[in-house]
Amino acid sequence: MAKGPEKNTKNKALHSKLLNRKNTKLQEEKKAKALRLKALVERMNQQKNKE
């Protein structure tokens, strides 16, 4: 009996690559946002201590 066509692994690999890229981008944005917030809190605390 003949086998069917090969599974479409090319599209699956591309899809995984794109999803990984999206997830890493979201993680980087989350880290950057956390750093900005941390810096803002430090600045506000410094201003509060000066007063």
Side-chain angles (χ1 to χ4, degrees), residues 2-49:
K3 293 184 178 178
E6 289 184 12
K7 292 191 175 191
N8 195 352
T9 56
K10 184 177 179 184
N11 280 344
K12 286 183 182 181
L14 180 60
H15 185 68
S16 296
K17 180 180 175 184
L18 291 174
L19 282 180
N20 289 338
R21 192 182 300 169
K22 177 185 172 184
N23 289 335
T24 54
K25 181 181 178 185
L26 290 175
Q27 286 177 354
E28 293 297 323
E29 288 175 354
K30 189 175 180 181
K31 286 180 186 177
K33 185 176 179 181
L35 287 175
R36 281 195 305 272
L37 283 174
K38 190 174 181 179
L40 181 63
V41 168
E42 280 184 27
R43 210 173 334 138
M44 294 304 289
N45 285 338
Q46 288 177 354
Q47 286 181 356
K48 190 176 181 181
N49 289 337

